[in-house]
Amino acid sequence: MKHLLSIEDLTADQIHGLLELTDHMAEISSRPIPKVPALRGKNVVSLFFEDSTRTRTSFDTAAKRLSADTMNFSVSSSSVNKGESLRDTIETISAMGVDAFVVRHKSSGAPLQITQWTNASIVNAGDGWHQHPTQALLDCYTIRTALNRRDGFDGLRIAIVGDIKHSRVARSDVQAFAALGADVTLVAPPTLLPPALVNGNSPDWPVTVSHDLDSLLPDLDVLYLLRVQRERMDEALLPSLHEYSALYGLTAERAARLAPHALVMHPGPMNRGVEMVVDPGELPGSVILNQVTNGVAVRMAVLFSLLGSGNDLKETA
Amino acid sequence: MSRLVITGGTLLDQYGERAADVAIAAGRIVEVGAGLQPAADDTVLAADGCVVSPGFVDLHVHLREPGKEEAETIETGSRAAALGGFTAVVAMPNTDPAQDSVAVVQFVRAQGVRAGLCEVLPSGCITVGRAGEMLAPYGELAAAGVHLFTDDGNGVQDPQLMRRALEYAKPLGIVLAQHCEVASLTKGAVMHEGSCCSRLGLPGWPALAEELMLFRDIELVRLTGVPMHFLHLSTARSVQLVRQAKAEGLAVTAEATPHHFTLTDEQLSGYDPVFKVNPPLRTRADIDGIKAGLADGTLDAIATDHAPHAPHTKEAPLDQAPPGMLGLETALALAITELDMPLAEIVAALSWKPAAIAGVGDRHGRPIAVGEPANLAVFDPGAEWTVVPARLASKSRNTPYAGRTLQGKVRHTVFNGNVVVRDGAATR
């Protein structure tokens, strides 16, 4: 594997392989000194054209636990603000000697485009509405661990609720969950669905579409809530956040109708009082902080798969 | 007086096909017939195996001068046109400054004359600065020779303003040409709205945005009786709307681009901005609709929407890159390669039909006959060639057909009796 750009590029076996590798990384992370020399001498550059402190910190922590050198490059402090093109930025930093770029960009497809201007590996840390593959992997790892589903998600019922249309998390999760065998339902008002799903199901999307969260709740194994952005009202996609909460928000009443084993997940940052009306700390099924913890281990696995060799890990793990 | 003699070709014009040689002097055809004997001081253009047709007329090119000379100049765009067999091109008005004043259109025309490779016909704006707010001075611009008016790149959003534009234009004998796009439906749009954009996570440009404005304008033609031309139609439903309007006898004409009958939105899967264009590449069903529209004459003309962009601007993320692709040098070959139409109908859609819409039917797209102006294309309809961006004459490289092998190549182009392309190379 040279790059990680999209879940679409991975087979189910590759996803399983990365999740197994994540088990090793989680074990390393649990040690008193959570650091191994596996990527010593490798230079990992975070290139964030869009702010995301949590994702950047997660990747940074992952790289440091593997002893890679890390460098941060953010738009606000860079030549991009001086009008430098994406190509020139990539070629310039590549010339310093880079093994992997971790790229966050507000434009869908930018990480793929970047691959033509550098020999370094590219990890997509979120591009536009398109993909956020490490989020999908950490979500899979979280479900796999919490529900003890090491062999796959066959028969698992997962609902993803919220702004699917603008969500790279939804696009990645749908592909990853479906690849592992889950039955995925997308729950949203039609205005927050991608055009292909506005009129119902599409052969391109291995999902069922629903507009009725309440009827699904008792049968779910995983309830995955997405962040709903306040600016969506300006585009006439929603009447009000209040109405969104009333129809699609996780209230205490709705939480009480979930099965006892059901997980509640959210990629963060949460909009309290909008999609998350209940205090997640009081939900027994909430694994939202586990997602954050697992994010580091999954990103260690991804960086190691791209930059390391199997021998290094065996020697050090 | 020495002549230019085109020998060995098959003539193809609105009167059909026949094998004959053509002699040209002082910018006009002076003799047509089999086995013309060139004199010692005559210049001979060998056309064996070739079709000799009236020169092509492109209703839709962006020459970028004035304003974006790094992407194209009137000279480099004219050279690309000549190499594509075009003897006249209509230059779109989205220059900087826009072509909304006599001074700017005269500059564009003069630069075309200076280049001397084809006739550059400046279009005028429908509204000042293409801003959609105030009428451009059609009377002055028409007096300066402008025939086709458009805000291309923008549709005229306000129906009241569009109605007034048509009414005001009525006595002037000009044609208003619409870029059909309801802007509120395409905010931020990058590609066709459908399954592909849903998967790629890109904002969609719905077919409806084109069809709604087209429908509105067809009704305005019905109301005002003033003719309209519709630019770069891209959907099957648009073709159907025009077909219906023509059946009702309304004075509408329409064009389609080669990329809209050859490429689909699937091309965007690799996020390569070379495939970003406005209106966007659509679906297989739309391609079929466009082809059917060209075949039955609903679509009058093949126009390229030649839109050069400097390489660095196309090395941006897809949502930031400008829309548009090169077209002049590949149009004929794409039509021959991809359209299931008799060659005579392809030439009609490239030559005399657009010439009439552009208002230059007196000097372009003329029959090949004694006394006619010598604006001719000589092409080998069977010649295969591979598109190599670096070999194109355009200053930019944004062709979506790099590496594609196409059939049909221009060998010579004669403009005003001068050989501007000889053996596939520009002479100036």
Side-chain angles (χ1 to χ4, degrees):
Chain A
M1 195 163 75
K2 166 81 176 172
H3 308 294
L4 178 63
L5 299 170
S6 169
I7 294 293
E8 226 175 353
D9 301 335
L10 300 176
T11 63
D13 282 348
Q14 283 177 300
I15 294 173
H16 279 297
L18 282 165
L19 299 181
E20 275 158 32
L21 188 54
T22 302
D23 278 332
H24 291 285
M25 299 303 175
E27 186 275 316
I28 290 169
S29 296
S30 68
R31 294 177 191 175
I33 300 174
K35 193 168 175 110
V36 292
L39 296 186
R40 201 164 46 189
K42 301 289 186 183
N43 193 12
V44 177
V45 174
S46 325
L47 198 53
F48 276 55
F49 295 90
E50 184 184 73
D51 282 339
S52 172
T53 309
R54 62 175 61 210
T55 303
R56 191 215 301 258
T57 307
S58 180
F59 269 108
D60 207 46
T61 305
K64 288 193 161 94
R65 285 188 181 165
L66 295 171
S67 301
D69 296 320
T70 59
M71 185 161 78
N72 277 325
F73 184 96
S74 66
V75 171
S76 53
S77 60
S78 76
S79 46
V80 171
N81 278 350
K82 299 172 189 163
E84 187 175 62
S85 75
L86 183 58
R87 178 184 182 156
D88 288 341
T89 300
I90 297 303
E91 289 183 345
T92 301
I93 303 176
S94 289
M96 298 174 194
V98 174
D99 296 293
F101 283 107
V102 175
V103 181
R104 162 69 62 94
H105 205 290
K106 67 179 172 55
S107 302
S108 297
L112 172 61
Q113 288 175 283
I114 284 171
T115 60
Q116 65 190 312
W117 302 314
T118 178
N119 292 321
S121 290
I122 305 295
V123 183
N124 183 357
D127 63 327
W129 307 346
H130 177 225
Q131 282 277 325
H132 192 357
T134 59
Q135 178 74 44
L137 292 169
L138 75 87
D139 289 338
C140 288
Y141 187 76
T142 301
I143 295 168
R144 174 184 189 264
T145 311
L147 294 180
N148 196 21
R149 300 291 297 246
R150 299 182 61 85
D151 297 331
F153 293 174
D154 281 338
L156 211 61
R157 281 157 300 191
I158 303 178
I160 303 175
V161 185
D163 186 354
I164 313 293
K165 179 185 172 104
H166 304 96
S167 176
R168 53 189 169 223
V169 174
R171 281 182 180 75
S172 311
D173 273 349
V174 163
Q175 290 167 354
F177 295 162
L180 296 184
D183 295 328
V184 182
T185 303
L186 299 180
V187 188
T191 47
L192 294 182
L193 288 170
L197 295 176
V198 170
N199 295 322
N201 299 336
S202 153
D204 288 353
W205 290 68
V207 299
T208 307
V209 172
S210 167
H211 311 297
D212 181 8
L213 178 59
D214 288 312
S215 68
L216 297 168
L217 287 171
D219 297 323
L220 292 177
D221 298 298
V222 177
L223 174 63
Y224 198 109
L225 304 173
L226 295 172
R227 175 182 171 78
V228 172
Q229 294 184 342
R230 293 170 188 280
E231 55 268 28
R232 298 302 170 217
M233 262 100 59
D234 303 339
E235 304 159 53
L237 295 170
L238 285 177
S240 70
L241 292 180
H242 186 268
E243 173 153 324
Y244 180 83
S245 289
L247 296 177
Y248 301 100
L250 183 58
T251 57
E253 294 73 32
R254 288 201 174 104
R257 298 186 57 231
L258 287 167
H261 74 278
L263 305 181
V264 175
M265 302 177 70
H266 193 296
M270 278 182 282
N271 265 330
R272 295 284 193 109
V274 183
E275 71 270 8
M276 188 66 78
V277 187
V278 66
D279 180 353
E282 292 174 7
L283 291 174
S286 169
V287 288
I288 294 169
L289 290 177
N290 307 41
Q291 289 174 271
V292 178
T293 306
N294 293 336
V296 175
V298 157
R299 287 168 179 132
M300 289 170 74
V302 166
L303 289 172
F304 183 78
S305 295
L306 298 179
L307 301 180
S309 69
N311 293 334
D312 293 341
L313 191 71
K314 283 195 187 105
E315 285 166 16
T316 56
Chain B
M1 185 176 169
S2 74
R3 304 182 304 173
L4 176 65
V5 185
I6 303 172
T7 61
T10 301
L11 310 191
L12 192 169
D13 61 15
Q14 36 282 67
Y15 296 106
E17 280 186 41
R18 64 248 178 235
D21 301 335
V22 181
I24 293 159
R28 290 197 176 264
I29 295 170
V30 293
E31 197 177 354
V32 178
L36 294 189
Q37 291 301 316
D41 62 344
D42 285 349
T43 304
V44 174
L45 279 182
D48 305 83
C50 286
V51 169
V52 181
S53 80
F56 307 146
V57 176
D58 194 339
L59 289 169
H60 199 142
V61 303
H62 296 271
L63 299 180
R64 303 297 186 216
E65 185 182 352
K68 276 232 172 65
E69 291 82 355
E70 63 164 353
E72 194 81 288
T73 64
I74 288 170
E75 182 188 329
T76 58
S78 295
R79 191 170 293 121
L83 286 164
F86 293 93
T87 54
V89 296
V90 179
M92 290 294 108
N94 59 334
T95 47
D96 185 12
Q99 289 165 210
D100 59 6
S101 69
V102 170
V104 177
V105 301
Q106 283 179 340
F107 169 80
V108 169
R109 190 187 301 280
Q111 289 295 80
V113 170
R114 189 167 301 142
L117 288 149
C118 65
E119 184 170 358
V120 175
L121 304 159
S123 61
C125 297
I126 293 176
T127 66
V128 173
R130 299 168 50 253
E133 288 164 4
M134 292 163 64
L135 298 184
Y138 306 154
E140 290 176 353
L141 291 166
V146 177
H147 184 73
L148 191 138
F149 291 73
T150 175
D151 279 357
D152 182 55
N154 297 333
V156 177
Q157 301 299 313
D158 181 348
Q160 173 74 322
L161 188 136
M162 195 61 219
R163 177 186 176 179
R164 295 289 180 245
L166 287 162
E167 289 171 346
Y168 188 84
K170 194 162 194 164
L172 298 172
I174 60 175
V175 173
L176 301 190
Q178 189 70 280
H179 167 117
C180 292
E181 177 180 357
V182 174
S184 65
L185 285 168
T186 63
K187 215 172 278 175
V190 169
M191 65 178 293
H192 173 64
E193 181 180 295
S195 60
C196 213
C197 84
S198 299
R199 180 167 54 85
L200 297 173
L202 291 165
W205 201 125
L208 179 68
E210 172 173 303
E211 295 151 2
L212 263 185
M213 189 172 285
L214 175 60
F215 180 80
R216 179 199 76 180
D217 285 0
I218 287 170
E219 293 309 308
L220 288 173
V221 170
R222 192 192 309 277
L223 182 74
T224 62
V226 179
M228 279 192 80
H229 176 68
F230 296 107
L231 303 167
H232 49 45
L233 294 183
S234 65
T235 80
R237 176 90 178 110
S238 290
V239 175
Q240 187 51 34
L241 286 168
V242 173
R243 186 177 287 123
Q244 170 93 25
K246 286 188 166 183
E248 294 172 14
L250 298 175
V252 297
T253 56
E255 67 186 38
T257 70
H259 48 270
H260 286 121
F261 63 72
T262 55
L263 303 171
T264 69
D265 60 343
E266 294 285 337
Q267 299 284 344
L268 273 302
S269 294
Y271 293 92
D272 185 343
V274 83
F275 297 106
K276 181 180 175 184
V277 65
N278 194 23
L281 303 177
R282 301 211 185 262
T283 67
R284 182 59 52 187
D286 294 308
I287 286 183
D288 292 343
I290 300 282
K291 285 182 172 178
L294 285 165
D296 72 7
T298 298
L299 299 173
D300 302 86
I302 296 168
T304 65
D305 196 3
H306 179 82
H309 288 291
H312 70 89
T313 65
K314 284 283 194 182
E315 287 172 347
L318 201 51
D319 56 352
Q320 293 164 27
M325 40 183 68
L326 301 183
L328 282 166
E329 294 172 75
T330 47
L332 171 73
L334 288 163
I336 290 175
T337 307
E338 300 275 350
L339 295 177
D340 187 21
M341 278 164 62
L343 190 56
E345 289 177 21
I346 289 174
V347 172
L350 282 166
S351 180
W352 53 89
K353 287 162 81 175
I357 295 166
V360 293
D362 61 333
R363 54 195 189 275
H364 294 277
R366 300 295 304 169
I368 301 173
V370 172
E372 296 288 354
N375 293 313
L376 300 169
V378 180
F379 61 93
D380 180 347
E384 289 202 342
W385 61 291
T386 300
V387 181
V388 178
R391 286 193 205 141
L392 298 176
S394 174
K395 216 168 173 181
S396 293
R397 295 287 169 262
N398 54 310
T399 173
Y401 302 104
R404 281 271 288 267
T405 297
L406 303 174
Q407 191 192 324
K409 184 102 176 85
V410 172
R411 191 181 290 180
H412 317 297
T413 305
V414 177
F415 168 56
N416 274 346
N418 300 312
V419 182
V420 290
V421 172
R422 180 195 292 275
D423 295 321
T427 60
R428 51 188 295 165

